[in-house]
Amino acid sequence: QVTQAVKQIPAGASKNVVWYFGHVHVGAVYKAQSVGGVTIYPRCCGHSCIPWGIATELHAPNVVWFEQEVVGPGQNYFVTNGYATLTLNGASLTEAFWDQNGKKSWPKP
């Protein structure tokens, strides 16, 4: 659906699209993708619901970062929950992912 919407942007527009979507378990930053001359930066955020272990399938070439800090009680029992913040300053966008303890997870400090 996103790629279909992006295809509607005129080819000469030189636009970048940052796509934020949610999931109850995962906080992840994916590599940029190009669709019809438009660069898409996919981000999965909203990992603040159901406790879950490390999503091992995210150890993949198209994933730049994903939340992996485990709080316990076991080695792969409960990865920290978190959220994303966006700061707009004119045409500039700064993003950050934070864990439930207030520690910045992405970009790495």
Side-chain angles (χ1 to χ4, degrees), residues 29-90:
V29 174
Y30 295 87
K31 285 187 177 178
Q33 302 173 27
S34 181
V35 175
V38 175
T39 303
I40 304 171
Y41 297 88
R43 308 294 195 243
C44 183
C45 56
H47 54 300
S48 60
C49 187
I50 302 170
W52 199 256
I54 294 174
T56 54
E57 66 273 8
L58 292 177
H59 287 289
N62 67 325
V63 178
V64 176
W65 167 87
F66 69 98
E67 186 60 73
Q68 299 181 62
E69 186 163 334
V70 177
V71 229
Q75 288 182 329
N76 191 21
Y77 176 72
F78 176 33
V79 174
T80 55
N81 288 333
Y83 59 94
T85 59
L86 305 176
T87 304
L88 297 170
N89 185 4

Side-chain angles (χ1 to χ4, degrees), residues 17 36 69 93 97 106:
V17 174
E69 186 163 334
L93 169 69
F97 281 73
W106 171 264

